[in-house]
Amino acid sequence: MAEAKPMTKLLVDDVAVEVPPEYTLLQACEAAGAEIPRFCFHERLSIAGNCRMCLVEVKGGPPKPVASCAMAVRDLRPGSKGELPAVFTKSPMVKKAREGVMEFLLINHPLDCPICDQGGECDLQDQAVAFGFSGSRYKENKRAVEDKYIGPLVSTSMNRCIHCTRCVRFTAEVAGTGDMGAIGRGEDMEITTYLETAMGSELQGNVADLCPVGALLPKPYSFKARSWELTKTDSIDVMDALGSAIRVDSRGREVMRILPRINDAVNEEWISDKTRQIVDGLKTRRLDRPYLREGGRLKSATWNEAFAAIAAKVKSARPGRIGAIAGDLCAAEDMFALKLLVESLGSGSLDCRQDGTKLDPKFGRAGYIFNPTVAGIEEADAIMIIGSNPRRESPVLNARIRKRWLKGNLLLGVIGERADLTYDYNYLGAGPESLARFIDHPPVEKERPMLLIGQGALARSDGLAVLAQAAKAAISLGCVKPGWLGFAILHTAASRVGGLDLGFVPGEGGLDAAAMAKAGALDVLFNLGADEIDIAPGAFVVYQGTHGDRGAQRADVILPGAAYTEKSALYVNTEGRVQFAERANFPPGDAREDWAILRALSAHLGKTLPFDSLHGLRAALYASHPHFAKLDAILPGEAANIEKLAGVVGAAPSAVPFVSPIADFFQTNPIARASAVMAECSALARGLRKEAAE
């Protein structure tokens, strides 16, 4: 049984409270229910103590206000007769001190609230009203600071900057790029990037959220809407497999912006730049009506005409010549409906692995999920990254690895690309031969070692052999032990774990995605948003998706679907966590939710699916796969699954080095490729990489 942590008792505004001794006074005051204003303090950043807005009075302490963010509870002393330490947050001394601090902060602030895009969400505005002075004694000219260029995602209005340094600490500590810093001293101090270059982090948009004033703002969203105009909807990100908690802000039928929600188990309170800024891609190049290919050209059609054309082709095809591929952004309900439809047509050719990864549910769930969990990264004391570049594949998860690295006492190794991951590591080799050295290796002298295997090691022809090799290495190194399962698969596709859970893989005698895409393999192919695979001529392709991307260009029939913000849906993230996304707005034109399209199509095919509503579909889904009903929960994998993987016998892996499947972070899916903002970021990133190579 774990020992109880020692607690310290103190009085906050005459309210007794017990807190851990490592708490700051600010945290102790908030635990007692007192509101403490702050600008520089942030729970996930180091303490700066430079805004002085969080001043409190300490009885028995110095006869002056104390910065509560920078003083620990353990530093307090009891009274001469053993009285409890006392902190006051509303005394005349504190009130006067805060009014003075606010007056100084506003000396050089431009006070352009009516035209500032931060208006309505500005900490300085709120705290000036709550804790500030009623006027100002400053009559001189205000300081003027030139605005800086720091990239395409964040705009600057540096006259407003109050030097809280949150952005500087974020890029140095969380993002790990150190993009931002301060030059000058005193009144001449300015926050900027080096030589006013663009920031290079994939998490840079978070500095706009951190900024307590309007100095840093999201450039693509600036002056598009006011916060009180927006409808706010909780949702889940699908730009990678992490499943970050997001909030979709919409006005009418249009998504205006995407912001992070706090979820300590997954993304803490950060999101990647792709997650945040693909908003314009949701309304560009959209498919808003059905299309039929006639004479080599796509022409608009009615739903009945499209369904009739599909029915004619399906009825003339043999069951074994029908197949389906699910893309990377599909919801669990849509894949479940498509699986039922294709199986009712008598086919076993199904695949949700368009990249060719060799993961398979027949080896057990532990063989394809991130078993230690994302939060478990902070408990690991050794991590080996195999065939992955987590900075490009999941930037927020990479920040979690960096957070663990900063704590120290972490053994880090990489097999694969030698890339800048924002933390130091031992480079162990480039390919499978380097991984083979750790089979029959003595266990590492660590309590919680972890193997992180990326799709760069698995989405290749010898992927199954590499997976078996990794399982053997995990067992040898001690990653599989009672109470700890350190075998972690990092996915790149939001739909992948859900598809594997549903068994959306080839059945007996069925073809996989690569085989279905070959010329002459099928007569009819249902393509549910799979845009990252090239389908050879021959098959009649029914593309069901959202954008005029690669899949639509190859299609014979296009059925316009709903994007992830336009439907209520379930997703399963890389760690196997079932997550629920609310609908924020409606699809454009005649586009419909994917499950509804499949239900209507099934009636035309004479194979009517056994549900008439989303509620009925989910009831069937929960009956077949009960763990989908447990939201925000993880069905854990079993250690026996890893031993089963290790026992797979086959050809030895090739000597080809591992390469990350993501070459361009900003262009990984149809929504991102439709976004002008992502195109600008991609061009900038290619330029930065070229300069670095030179």
Side-chain angles (χ1 to χ4, degrees):
M1 185 175 177
E3 294 183 14
K5 290 185 178 180
M7 303 289 278
T8 300
K9 196 170 185 178
L10 69 156
L11 294 174
V12 177
D13 293 335
D14 298 325
V15 176
V17 61
E18 279 191 312
V19 296
E22 63 270 16
Y23 263 33
T24 62
L25 294 189
L26 188 151
Q27 292 170 303
C29 290
E30 293 200 329
E35 182 180 359
I36 305 294
R38 85 294 297 271
F39 293 115
C40 68
F41 177 81
H42 191 277
E43 289 80 358
R44 302 187 198 277
L45 303 176
S46 62
I47 292 170
N50 56 10
C51 77
R52 319 308 285 181
M53 195 63 205
C54 63
L55 296 172
V56 296
E57 181 182 354
V58 179
K59 185 177 180 180
K64 61 179 182 179
V66 171
S68 60
C69 72
M71 188 173 187
V73 169
R74 62 160 59 94
D75 295 329
L76 298 180
R77 296 293 177 265
S80 58
K81 297 181 181 178
E83 303 98 328
L84 290 176
V87 179
F88 301 95
T89 68
K90 300 175 183 176
S91 67
M93 177 199 288
V94 172
K95 186 174 184 295
K96 184 178 180 181
R98 289 177 181 169
E99 287 176 351
V101 170
M102 182 59 70
E103 189 177 4
F104 273 113
L105 284 174
L106 296 179
I107 278 176
N108 283 312
H109 198 76
L111 305 180
D112 51 3
C113 301
I115 62 164
C116 176
D117 205 39
Q118 191 87 329
E121 297 178 310
C122 176
D123 292 346
L124 183 64
Q125 196 177 48
D126 296 341
Q127 294 183 34
V129 172
F131 303 101
F133 186 51
S134 60
S136 175
R137 292 168 283 182
Y138 190 77
K139 305 300 181 187
E140 288 75 17
N141 292 329
K142 292 180 181 286
R143 176 194 62 185
V145 182
E146 187 178 347
D147 292 343
K148 311 292 192 297
Y149 172 78
I150 59 174
L153 301 180
V154 181
S155 63
T156 61
S157 182
M158 302 313 290
N159 281 340
R160 303 168 184 162
C161 181
I162 61 170
H163 301 162
C164 71
T165 68
R166 281 186 180 183
C167 55
V168 175
R169 285 174 284 148
F170 173 82
T171 58
E173 298 164 13
V174 179
T177 53
D179 286 320
M180 301 193 74
I183 58 173
R185 297 184 66 183
E187 192 177 70
D188 296 325
M189 178 176 166
E190 297 181 21
I191 303 294
T192 180
T193 56
Y194 182 66
L195 297 180
E196 297 189 31
T197 53
M199 289 190 282
S201 171
E202 295 79 10
L203 300 169
Q204 60 185 271
N206 291 288
V207 301
D209 292 341
L210 289 171
C211 185
V213 295
L216 300 176
L217 294 166
K219 188 177 284 188
Y221 168 75
S222 289
F223 304 107
K224 296 286 180 65
R226 290 292 196 178
S227 59
W228 54 84
E229 300 176 306
L230 304 175
T231 301
K232 301 164 179 65
T233 308
D234 291 348
S235 188
I236 298 298
D237 172 49
V238 298
M239 292 297 109
D240 57 30
L242 184 63
S244 299
I246 58 173
R247 192 186 84 194
V248 180
D249 288 358
S250 54
R251 184 174 60 189
R253 295 178 68 112
E254 184 179 6
V255 173
M256 301 304 295
R257 66 176 178 180
I258 293 173
L259 296 175
R261 287 188 292 124
I262 296 176
N263 186 345
D264 288 327
V266 180
N267 61 304
E268 298 186 296
E269 59 186 87
W270 319 122
I271 54 174
S272 74
D273 295 331
K274 184 165 55 177
T275 298
R276 184 185 299 272
Q277 300 296 5
I278 48 80
V279 171
D280 62 321
L282 288 167
K283 50 198 173 192
T284 308
R285 298 174 62 189
R286 287 300 302 269
L287 301 172
D288 60 357
R289 70 194 73 175
Y291 287 88
L292 271 174
R293 191 175 295 278
E294 296 178 0
R297 296 175 63 87
L298 287 168
K299 297 181 180 179
S300 60
T302 65
W303 282 103
N304 283 333
E305 289 170 346
F307 287 158
I310 297 168
K313 286 291 183 180
V314 169
K315 287 172 183 175
S316 65
R318 299 200 316 272
R321 302 275 296 175
I322 299 172
I325 302 174
D328 293 347
L329 309 183
C330 296
E333 295 94 335
D334 306 331
M335 290 186 286
F336 182 67
L338 180 58
K339 182 172 185 281
L340 291 180
L341 178 59
V342 173
E343 287 177 344
S344 71
L345 295 172
S347 175
S349 295
L350 297 159
D351 208 347
C352 64
R353 308 163 301 179
Q354 62 173 328
D355 60 359
T357 184
K358 297 302 183 285
L359 297 169
D360 198 305
K362 70 182 180 184
F363 297 117
R365 200 168 196 247
Y368 61 83
I369 65 171
F370 202 97
N371 292 285
T373 75
V374 174
I377 290 172
E378 296 186 32
E379 300 176 23
D381 45 20
I383 301 175
M384 185 191 294
I385 299 172
I386 302 164
S388 174
N389 181 340
R391 180 175 173 181
R392 286 208 297 255
E393 295 165 26
S394 184
V396 178
L397 182 139
N398 192 61
R400 184 83 75 148
I401 298 175
R402 175 177 167 79
K403 179 182 179 182
R404 173 64 189 89
W405 172 76
L406 286 172
K407 289 181 181 177
N409 193 30
L410 176 68
L411 184 63
L412 256 172
V414 168
I415 296 177
E417 294 180 0
R418 194 194 292 266
D420 177 10
L421 301 180
T422 73
Y423 40 80
D424 296 333
Y425 56 81
N426 299 305
Y427 187 67
L428 305 175
E433 73 286 347
S434 301
L435 177 58
R437 297 202 310 266
F438 294 93
I439 298 174
D440 300 325
H441 190 282
V444 294
E445 296 179 1
K446 296 289 185 178
E447 289 293 320
R448 293 174 179 264
M450 178 193 299
L451 252 63
L452 189 159
I453 305 105
Q455 300 308 304
L458 306 177
R460 36 191 270 167
S461 58
D462 60 350
L464 182 57
V466 174
L467 184 63
Q469 201 176 58
K472 293 173 186 174
I475 294 170
S476 294
L477 295 171
C479 300
V480 181
K481 60 179 69 173
W484 178 253
L485 184 51
F487 189 81
I489 303 294
L490 179 59
H491 290 274
T492 55
S495 65
R496 189 64 45 78
V497 176
L500 293 172
D501 279 350
L502 292 170
F504 203 100
V505 293
E508 187 175 350
L511 304 177
D512 63 13
M516 283 188 271
K518 290 179 180 177
L522 297 175
D523 292 333
V524 179
L525 174 61
F526 291 96
N527 180 346
L528 185 61
D531 291 274
E532 318 305 321
I533 185 170
D534 293 323
I535 301 170
F540 182 84
V541 177
V542 179
Y543 176 74
Q544 189 172 327
T546 58
H547 287 72
D549 205 78
R550 299 171 190 168
Q553 292 168 12
R554 171 61 186 87
D556 295 288
V557 177
I558 294 176
L559 306 177
Y564 71 105
T565 58
E566 298 159 0
K567 57 188 175 186
S568 171
L570 295 171
Y571 297 93
V572 187
N573 77 346
T574 191
E575 59 183 350
R577 183 184 303 273
V578 181
Q579 299 175 294
F580 179 67
E582 287 276 11
R583 181 174 60 194
N585 61 335
F586 292 90
D590 289 335
R592 297 289 182 268
E593 294 180 43
D594 294 299
W595 73 267
I597 296 172
L598 291 166
R599 169 62 179 79
L601 175 60
S602 69
H604 280 76
L605 297 178
K607 303 289 184 180
T608 305
L609 293 174
F611 49 81
D612 295 315
S613 65
L614 184 58
H615 178 77
L617 166 55
R618 285 192 178 134
L621 172 63
Y622 298 158
S624 298
H625 307 277
H627 73 278
F628 276 94
K630 298 174 182 176
L631 295 181
D632 206 36
I634 300 173
L635 177 66
E638 300 175 2
N641 298 159
I642 310 304
E643 294 169 2
K644 186 177 180 181
L645 266 178
V648 173
V649 179
S654 69
V656 178
F658 298 137
V659 178
S660 171
I662 296 180
D664 189 340
F665 168 72
F666 298 103
Q667 302 280 285
T668 56
N669 60 62
I671 303 175
R673 286 190 287 269
S675 166
V677 176
M678 291 296 100
E680 184 180 356
C681 292
S682 174
L684 183 64
R686 288 196 300 272
L688 290 175
R689 284 197 293 271
K690 185 178 179 182
E691 289 174 15
E694 291 172 352

